[in-house]
mmCIF file of all heavy atoms in Angstrom:
data_model
loop_
_atom_site.group_PDB
_atom_site.id
_atom_site.type_symbol
_atom_site.label_atom_id
_atom_site.label_comp_id
_atom_site.label_asym_id
_atom_site.label_seq_id
_atom_site.Cartn_x
_atom_site.Cartn_y
_atom_site.Cartn_z
ATOM 1 N N ASP I 227 3.270 41.495 103.179
ATOM 2 C CA ASP I 227 4.343 40.684 102.544
ATOM 3 C C ASP I 227 3.712 39.633 101.610
ATOM 4 O O ASP I 227 4.309 39.321 100.590
ATOM 5 C CB ASP I 227 5.159 39.965 103.606
ATOM 6 C CG ASP I 227 5.820 40.953 104.564
ATOM 7 O OD1 ASP I 227 6.603 41.806 104.050
ATOM 8 O OD2 ASP I 227 5.579 40.909 105.759
ATOM 9 N N ASN I 228 2.551 39.167 101.930
ATOM 10 C CA ASN I 228 1.820 38.189 101.105
ATOM 11 C C ASN I 228 1.409 38.711 99.743
ATOM 12 O O ASN I 228 1.064 37.952 98.844
ATOM 13 C CB ASN I 228 0.541 37.716 101.829
ATOM 14 C CG ASN I 228 0.830 36.614 102.813
ATOM 15 O OD1 ASN I 228 1.685 35.816 102.589
ATOM 16 N ND2 ASN I 228 0.077 36.601 103.913
ATOM 17 N N GLU I 263 12.312 35.081 99.554
ATOM 18 C CA GLU I 263 11.041 34.909 98.900
ATOM 19 C C GLU I 263 10.805 35.895 97.779
ATOM 20 O O GLU I 263 10.381 35.550 96.662
ATOM 21 C CB GLU I 263 9.901 35.101 99.927
ATOM 22 C CG GLU I 263 9.916 34.058 101.053
ATOM 23 C CD GLU I 263 8.602 34.062 101.884
ATOM 24 O OE1 GLU I 263 7.699 34.868 101.562
ATOM 25 O OE2 GLU I 263 8.528 33.248 102.801
ATOM 26 N N LYS I 264 11.158 37.184 98.025
ATOM 27 C CA LYS I 264 10.964 38.214 97.008
ATOM 28 C C LYS I 264 11.849 37.900 95.799
ATOM 29 O O LYS I 264 11.490 38.137 94.667
ATOM 30 C CB LYS I 264 11.315 39.609 97.522
ATOM 31 C CG LYS I 264 10.823 39.986 98.922
ATOM 32 C CD LYS I 264 9.337 39.877 99.083
ATOM 33 C CE LYS I 264 8.999 39.790 100.568
ATOM 34 N NZ LYS I 264 7.607 39.374 100.836
ATOM 35 N N LEU I 267 10.415 35.097 93.704
ATOM 36 C CA LEU I 267 9.227 35.596 93.000
ATOM 37 C C LEU I 267 9.629 36.539 91.865
ATOM 38 O O LEU I 267 9.044 36.497 90.782
ATOM 39 C CB LEU I 267 8.306 36.347 93.949
ATOM 40 C CG LEU I 267 7.551 35.409 94.919
ATOM 41 C CD1 LEU I 267 7.064 36.195 96.123
ATOM 42 C CD2 LEU I 267 6.366 34.797 94.183
ATOM 43 N N LEU O 164 3.152 22.731 105.508
ATOM 44 C CA LEU O 164 2.832 24.166 105.550
ATOM 45 C C LEU O 164 1.402 24.408 105.152
ATOM 46 O O LEU O 164 0.942 23.830 104.152
ATOM 47 C CB LEU O 164 3.750 24.962 104.598
ATOM 48 C CG LEU O 164 3.336 26.454 104.527
ATOM 49 C CD1 LEU O 164 4.029 27.254 105.611
ATOM 50 C CD2 LEU O 164 3.647 27.035 103.163
ATOM 51 N N THR O 165 0.676 25.191 105.934
ATOM 52 C CA THR O 165 -0.606 25.619 105.451
ATOM 53 C C THR O 165 -0.671 27.160 105.540
ATOM 54 O O THR O 165 0.064 27.787 106.277
ATOM 55 C CB THR O 165 -1.807 24.972 106.188
ATOM 56 O OG1 THR O 165 -3.008 25.296 105.532
ATOM 57 C CG2 THR O 165 -1.894 25.452 107.645
ATOM 58 N N HIS O 166 -1.577 27.728 104.770
ATOM 59 C CA HIS O 166 -1.703 29.170 104.676
ATOM 60 C C HIS O 166 -3.137 29.581 105.019
ATOM 61 O O HIS O 166 -4.062 28.858 104.717
ATOM 62 C CB HIS O 166 -1.364 29.560 103.225
ATOM 63 C CG HIS O 166 -1.374 31.057 102.997
ATOM 64 N ND1 HIS O 166 -0.560 31.915 103.671
ATOM 65 C CD2 HIS O 166 -2.093 31.813 102.112
ATOM 66 C CE1 HIS O 166 -0.763 33.149 103.223
ATOM 67 N NE2 HIS O 166 -1.684 33.125 102.323
ATOM 68 N N CYS O 167 -3.257 30.678 105.729
ATOM 69 C CA CYS O 167 -4.599 31.182 106.117
ATOM 70 C C CYS O 167 -5.295 30.129 106.966
ATOM 71 O O CYS O 167 -4.660 29.344 107.614
ATOM 72 C CB CYS O 167 -5.421 31.552 104.871
ATOM 73 S SG CYS O 167 -6.883 32.579 105.263
ATOM 74 N N ASP O 199 1.594 29.664 108.677
ATOM 75 C CA ASP O 199 2.004 31.056 108.400
ATOM 76 C C ASP O 199 0.899 32.035 108.859
ATOM 77 O O ASP O 199 -0.283 31.764 108.734
ATOM 78 C CB ASP O 199 2.619 31.269 107.033
ATOM 79 C CG ASP O 199 1.628 31.200 105.915
ATOM 80 O OD1 ASP O 199 0.495 31.576 106.119
ATOM 81 O OD2 ASP O 199 2.058 30.781 104.796
ATOM 82 N N GLU O 200 1.343 33.108 109.421
ATOM 83 C CA GLU O 200 0.382 33.914 110.167
ATOM 84 C C GLU O 200 -0.712 34.538 109.286
ATOM 85 O O GLU O 200 -1.801 34.782 109.705
ATOM 86 C CB GLU O 200 1.109 35.037 110.951
ATOM 87 C CG GLU O 200 1.948 35.914 110.046
ATOM 88 C CD GLU O 200 2.623 37.047 110.891
ATOM 89 O OE1 GLU O 200 2.524 37.101 112.110
ATOM 90 O OE2 GLU O 200 3.298 37.895 110.227
ATOM 91 N N THR O 201 -0.350 34.769 107.989
ATOM 92 C CA THR O 201 -1.330 35.240 106.999
ATOM 93 C C THR O 201 -1.813 36.667 107.247
ATOM 94 O O THR O 201 -2.984 36.922 107.578
ATOM 95 C CB THR O 201 -2.545 34.275 106.908
ATOM 96 O OG1 THR O 201 -2.100 32.918 106.932
ATOM 97 C CG2 THR O 201 -3.306 34.489 105.609
ATOM 98 N N ARG O 202 -0.896 37.552 107.091
ATOM 99 C CA ARG O 202 -1.242 38.958 107.067
ATOM 100 C C ARG O 202 -2.058 39.246 105.803
ATOM 101 O O ARG O 202 -1.922 38.579 104.821
ATOM 102 C CB ARG O 202 0.040 39.811 107.065
ATOM 103 C CG ARG O 202 0.629 39.928 108.509
ATOM 104 C CD ARG O 202 -0.071 40.954 109.367
ATOM 105 N NE ARG O 202 0.114 42.313 108.923
ATOM 106 C CZ ARG O 202 -0.711 43.300 109.123
ATOM 107 N NH1 ARG O 202 -1.880 43.108 109.736
ATOM 108 N NH2 ARG O 202 -0.456 44.518 108.690
ATOM 109 N N ILE O 225 4.723 31.004 111.996
ATOM 110 C CA ILE O 225 5.869 31.694 111.400
ATOM 111 C C ILE O 225 5.333 32.933 110.657
ATOM 112 O O ILE O 225 4.197 32.987 110.232
ATOM 113 C CB ILE O 225 6.690 30.827 110.398
ATOM 114 C CG1 ILE O 225 5.784 30.280 109.252
ATOM 115 C CG2 ILE O 225 7.308 29.675 111.128
ATOM 116 C CD1 ILE O 225 6.584 29.548 108.164
ATOM 117 N N ALA O 226 6.172 33.953 110.559
ATOM 118 C CA ALA O 226 5.819 35.102 109.712
ATOM 119 C C ALA O 226 5.739 34.625 108.296
ATOM 120 O O ALA O 226 6.410 33.693 107.856
ATOM 121 C CB ALA O 226 6.879 36.208 109.821
ATOM 122 N N ASP O 227 4.851 35.265 107.488
ATOM 123 C CA ASP O 227 4.716 34.904 106.064
ATOM 124 C C ASP O 227 6.089 34.986 105.370
ATOM 125 O O ASP O 227 6.377 34.209 104.483
ATOM 126 C CB ASP O 227 3.743 35.825 105.373
ATOM 127 C CG ASP O 227 2.364 35.749 105.987
ATOM 128 O OD1 ASP O 227 1.805 34.637 106.039
ATOM 129 O OD2 ASP O 227 1.825 36.767 106.455
ATOM 130 N N ASN O 228 6.906 35.901 105.805
ATOM 131 C CA ASN O 228 8.246 36.046 105.235
ATOM 132 C C ASN O 228 9.187 34.854 105.476
ATOM 133 O O ASN O 228 10.210 34.779 104.795
ATOM 134 C CB ASN O 228 8.951 37.272 105.862
ATOM 135 C CG ASN O 228 8.508 38.574 105.152
ATOM 136 O OD1 ASN O 228 8.291 38.556 103.982
ATOM 137 N ND2 ASN O 228 8.443 39.626 105.904
ATOM 138 N N ALA O 229 8.844 33.994 106.426
ATOM 139 C CA ALA O 229 9.779 32.941 106.794
ATOM 140 C C ALA O 229 9.540 31.624 106.067
ATOM 141 O O ALA O 229 10.301 30.687 106.180
ATOM 142 C CB ALA O 229 9.721 32.696 108.344
ATOM 143 N N THR O 230 8.443 31.556 105.298
ATOM 144 C CA THR O 230 8.099 30.316 104.574
ATOM 145 C C THR O 230 9.273 29.842 103.722
ATOM 146 O O THR O 230 9.658 28.688 103.757
ATOM 147 C CB THR O 230 6.897 30.557 103.670
ATOM 148 O OG1 THR O 230 5.907 31.247 104.390
ATOM 149 C CG2 THR O 230 6.364 29.243 103.139
ATOM 150 N N GLY O 231 9.804 30.773 102.927
ATOM 151 C CA GLY O 231 10.897 30.412 102.013
ATOM 152 C C GLY O 231 12.121 29.854 102.778
ATOM 153 O O GLY O 231 12.725 28.878 102.348
ATOM 154 N N MET O 234 11.472 26.306 103.763
ATOM 155 C CA MET O 234 11.474 25.462 102.576
ATOM 156 C C MET O 234 12.898 25.197 102.111
ATOM 157 O O MET O 234 13.279 24.029 101.834
ATOM 158 C CB MET O 234 10.671 26.102 101.446
ATOM 159 C CG MET O 234 9.172 26.092 101.637
ATOM 160 S SD MET O 234 8.379 26.742 100.152
ATOM 161 C CE MET O 234 6.667 26.479 100.538
ATOM 162 N N CYS O 242 2.839 21.213 101.124
ATOM 163 C CA CYS O 242 1.971 22.308 101.421
ATOM 164 C C CYS O 242 0.548 21.885 101.096
ATOM 165 O O CYS O 242 0.292 21.196 100.113
ATOM 166 C CB CYS O 242 2.277 23.539 100.516
ATOM 167 S SG CYS O 242 3.994 24.031 100.572
ATOM 168 N N VAL O 244 -3.237 23.983 100.969
ATOM 169 C CA VAL O 244 -3.995 25.194 101.196
ATOM 170 C C VAL O 244 -5.416 24.992 100.738
ATOM 171 O O VAL O 244 -5.745 23.976 100.131
ATOM 172 C CB VAL O 244 -3.369 26.392 100.400
ATOM 173 C CG1 VAL O 244 -1.908 26.650 100.796
ATOM 174 C CG2 VAL O 244 -3.496 26.144 98.874
ATOM 175 N N LYS O 258 -6.566 32.840 99.361
ATOM 176 C CA LYS O 258 -6.099 33.966 100.178
ATOM 177 C C LYS O 258 -4.775 34.555 99.643
ATOM 178 O O LYS O 258 -3.876 33.801 99.218
ATOM 179 C CB LYS O 258 -5.863 33.464 101.607
ATOM 180 C CG LYS O 258 -5.382 34.432 102.624
ATOM 181 C CD LYS O 258 -6.236 35.677 102.746
ATOM 182 C CE LYS O 258 -7.693 35.415 102.933
ATOM 183 N NZ LYS O 258 -8.578 36.544 102.597
ATOM 184 N N ILE O 259 -4.653 35.846 99.678
ATOM 185 C CA ILE O 259 -3.413 36.554 99.235
ATOM 186 C C ILE O 259 -2.192 35.878 99.875
ATOM 187 O O ILE O 259 -2.208 35.588 101.082
ATOM 188 C CB ILE O 259 -3.509 38.052 99.566
ATOM 189 C CG1 ILE O 259 -2.370 38.802 98.880
ATOM 190 C CG2 ILE O 259 -3.551 38.319 101.050
ATOM 191 C CD1 ILE O 259 -2.551 39.076 97.439
ATOM 192 N N GLY O 260 -1.201 35.616 99.059
ATOM 193 C CA GLY O 260 0.005 34.941 99.540
ATOM 194 C C GLY O 260 0.117 33.502 99.112
ATOM 195 O O GLY O 260 1.205 32.940 99.121
ATOM 196 N N THR O 261 -1.002 32.925 98.706
ATOM 197 C CA THR O 261 -1.020 31.552 98.266
ATOM 198 C C THR O 261 -0.059 31.356 97.044
ATOM 199 O O THR O 261 0.729 30.429 96.979
ATOM 200 C CB THR O 261 -2.426 31.071 97.886
ATOM 201 O OG1 THR O 261 -3.264 31.256 99.008
ATOM 202 C CG2 THR O 261 -2.458 29.597 97.487
ATOM 203 N N TYR O 262 -0.155 32.323 96.071
ATOM 204 C CA TYR O 262 0.673 32.246 94.921
ATOM 205 C C TYR O 262 2.154 32.234 95.305
ATOM 206 O O TYR O 262 2.965 31.502 94.732
ATOM 207 C CB TYR O 262 0.356 33.434 93.999
ATOM 208 C CG TYR O 262 1.384 33.738 92.929
ATOM 209 C CD1 TYR O 262 1.574 32.821 91.879
ATOM 210 C CD2 TYR O 262 2.125 34.891 93.001
ATOM 211 C CE1 TYR O 262 2.523 33.079 90.885
ATOM 212 C CE2 TYR O 262 3.089 35.152 91.982
ATOM 213 C CZ TYR O 262 3.271 34.254 90.959
ATOM 214 O OH TYR O 262 4.209 34.529 90.017
ATOM 215 N N GLU O 263 2.503 33.079 96.278
ATOM 216 C CA GLU O 263 3.917 33.130 96.734
ATOM 217 C C GLU O 263 4.388 31.786 97.276
ATOM 218 O O GLU O 263 5.458 31.318 96.930
ATOM 219 C CB GLU O 263 4.083 34.191 97.846
ATOM 220 C CG GLU O 263 3.721 35.594 97.379
ATOM 221 C CD GLU O 263 4.228 36.653 98.383
ATOM 222 O OE1 GLU O 263 4.812 36.317 99.434
ATOM 223 O OE2 GLU O 263 3.992 37.841 98.102
ATOM 224 N N LYS O 264 3.552 31.155 98.107
ATOM 225 C CA LYS O 264 3.920 29.878 98.676
ATOM 226 C C LYS O 264 4.068 28.822 97.585
ATOM 227 O O LYS O 264 4.965 27.971 97.634
ATOM 228 C CB LYS O 264 2.898 29.345 99.694
ATOM 229 C CG LYS O 264 2.315 30.360 100.633
ATOM 230 C CD LYS O 264 3.316 31.044 101.500
ATOM 231 C CE LYS O 264 2.770 32.304 102.070
ATOM 232 N NZ LYS O 264 3.758 33.204 102.649
ATOM 233 N N ALA O 265 3.174 28.874 96.574
ATOM 234 C CA ALA O 265 3.215 27.909 95.500
ATOM 235 C C ALA O 265 4.492 28.070 94.654
ATOM 236 O O ALA O 265 5.142 27.038 94.293
ATOM 237 C CB ALA O 265 1.989 28.083 94.628
ATOM 238 N N VAL O 266 4.871 29.286 94.367
ATOM 239 C CA VAL O 266 6.116 29.494 93.592
ATOM 240 C C VAL O 266 7.313 29.016 94.404
ATOM 241 O O VAL O 266 8.187 28.309 93.856
ATOM 242 C CB VAL O 266 6.291 31.015 93.269
ATOM 243 C CG1 VAL O 266 7.658 31.291 92.671
ATOM 244 C CG2 VAL O 266 5.177 31.464 92.249
ATOM 245 N N LEU O 267 7.332 29.311 95.670
ATOM 246 C CA LEU O 267 8.426 28.909 96.519
ATOM 247 C C LEU O 267 8.489 27.374 96.639
ATOM 248 O O LEU O 267 9.571 26.764 96.674
ATOM 249 C CB LEU O 267 8.282 29.514 97.935
ATOM 250 C CG LEU O 267 8.620 30.984 97.978
ATOM 251 C CD1 LEU O 267 7.986 31.679 99.167
ATOM 252 C CD2 LEU O 267 10.114 31.207 97.934
ATOM 253 N N ALA O 268 7.304 26.758 96.712
ATOM 254 C CA ALA O 268 7.246 25.274 96.810
ATOM 255 C C ALA O 268 7.837 24.657 95.541
ATOM 256 O O ALA O 268 8.696 23.749 95.575
ATOM 257 C CB ALA O 268 5.820 24.827 97.018
ATOM 258 N N LYS O 269 7.454 25.163 94.395
ATOM 259 C CA LYS O 269 7.969 24.646 93.125
ATOM 260 C C LYS O 269 9.498 24.806 93.032
ATOM 261 O O LYS O 269 10.203 23.865 92.710
ATOM 262 C CB LYS O 269 7.296 25.388 91.926
ATOM 263 C CG LYS O 269 7.759 24.888 90.574
ATOM 264 C CD LYS O 269 7.100 25.685 89.457
ATOM 265 C CE LYS O 269 7.814 25.373 88.142
ATOM 266 N NZ LYS O 269 8.191 26.571 87.415
ATOM 267 N N GLU O 270 9.966 26.023 93.455
ATOM 268 C CA GLU O 270 11.389 26.261 93.404
ATOM 269 C C GLU O 270 12.181 25.320 94.306
ATOM 270 O O GLU O 270 13.350 25.052 94.061
ATOM 271 C CB GLU O 270 11.626 27.737 93.819
ATOM 272 C CG GLU O 270 12.973 28.290 93.545
ATOM 273 C CD GLU O 270 13.168 28.598 92.015
ATOM 274 O OE1 GLU O 270 12.217 28.512 91.222
ATOM 275 O OE2 GLU O 270 14.336 28.947 91.684
ATOM 276 N N ASN O 271 11.512 24.838 95.348
ATOM 277 C CA ASN O 271 12.195 23.927 96.296
ATOM 278 C C ASN O 271 11.729 22.489 96.170
ATOM 279 O O ASN O 271 11.964 21.695 97.056
ATOM 280 C CB ASN O 271 11.955 24.462 97.728
ATOM 281 C CG ASN O 271 12.753 25.700 98.011
ATOM 282 O OD1 ASN O 271 13.969 25.668 98.248
ATOM 283 N ND2 ASN O 271 12.081 26.885 97.972
ATOM 284 N N ILE O 273 8.833 21.024 96.398
ATOM 285 C CA ILE O 273 7.933 20.600 97.473
ATOM 286 C C ILE O 273 6.552 20.483 96.889
ATOM 287 O O ILE O 273 6.041 21.410 96.259
ATOM 288 C CB ILE O 273 7.921 21.629 98.663
ATOM 289 C CG1 ILE O 273 9.349 21.694 99.243
ATOM 290 C CG2 ILE O 273 6.902 21.298 99.689
ATOM 291 C CD1 ILE O 273 9.557 22.881 100.198
ATOM 292 N N PRO O 274 5.853 19.322 97.069
ATOM 293 C CA PRO O 274 4.485 19.181 96.545
ATOM 294 C C PRO O 274 3.544 20.245 97.116
ATOM 295 O O PRO O 274 3.625 20.574 98.320
ATOM 296 C CB PRO O 274 4.062 17.793 97.006
ATOM 297 C CG PRO O 274 5.334 17.090 97.343
ATOM 298 C CD PRO O 274 6.298 18.108 97.797
ATOM 299 N N PHE O 275 2.688 20.744 96.246
ATOM 300 C CA PHE O 275 1.765 21.828 96.636
ATOM 301 C C PHE O 275 0.337 21.388 96.337
ATOM 302 O O PHE O 275 -0.031 21.317 95.187
ATOM 303 C CB PHE O 275 2.133 23.130 95.896
ATOM 304 C CG PHE O 275 1.406 24.339 96.419
ATOM 305 C CD1 PHE O 275 1.929 25.081 97.436
ATOM 306 C CD2 PHE O 275 0.161 24.728 95.898
ATOM 307 C CE1 PHE O 275 1.269 26.210 97.916
ATOM 308 C CE2 PHE O 275 -0.516 25.809 96.369
ATOM 309 C CZ PHE O 275 0.059 26.576 97.384
ATOM 310 N N ASP O 325 -5.215 36.020 95.650
ATOM 311 C CA ASP O 325 -4.439 35.965 94.420
ATOM 312 C C ASP O 325 -4.757 34.676 93.675
ATOM 313 O O ASP O 325 -5.487 33.837 94.198
ATOM 314 C CB ASP O 325 -2.937 36.134 94.736
ATOM 315 C CG ASP O 325 -2.338 35.091 95.647
ATOM 316 O OD1 ASP O 325 -2.904 33.958 95.677
ATOM 317 O OD2 ASP O 325 -1.326 35.347 96.269
ATOM 318 N N THR O 327 -3.241 31.343 91.851
ATOM 319 C CA THR O 327 -2.097 30.458 91.674
ATOM 320 C C THR O 327 -2.356 29.682 90.359
ATOM 321 O O THR O 327 -3.294 28.898 90.274
ATOM 322 C CB THR O 327 -1.988 29.465 92.838
ATOM 323 O OG1 THR O 327 -1.763 30.250 94.040
ATOM 324 C CG2 THR O 327 -0.812 28.531 92.645
ATOM 325 N N TYR O 331 1.640 25.282 89.122
ATOM 326 C CA TYR O 331 2.313 25.179 90.436
ATOM 327 C C TYR O 331 1.616 24.160 91.361
ATOM 328 O O TYR O 331 2.134 23.908 92.447
ATOM 329 C CB TYR O 331 2.333 26.538 91.157
ATOM 330 C CG TYR O 331 3.061 27.611 90.398
ATOM 331 C CD1 TYR O 331 2.422 28.596 89.691
ATOM 332 C CD2 TYR O 331 4.444 27.643 90.431
ATOM 333 C CE1 TYR O 331 3.093 29.571 88.989
ATOM 334 C CE2 TYR O 331 5.165 28.612 89.754
ATOM 335 C CZ TYR O 331 4.487 29.614 89.028
ATOM 336 O OH TYR O 331 5.189 30.531 88.349
#
Side-chain angles (χ1 to χ4, degrees):
Chain I
D227 299 302
N228 276 326
E263 296 193 1
K264 317 303 161 194
L267 287 159
Chain O
L164 174 86
T165 189
H166 183 58
C167 195
D199 70 32
E200 58 177 5
T201 318
R202 280 281 291 153
I225 58 173
D227 299 302
N228 277 325
T230 313
M234 286 187 175
C242 307
V244 302
K258 181 54 54 198
I259 190 77
T261 303
Y262 165 67
E263 298 193 1
K264 317 301 161 193
V266 169
L267 287 160
K269 182 183 167 230
E270 195 74 6
N271 288 283
I273 296 167
F275 190 88
D325 60 25
T327 300
Y331 298 103

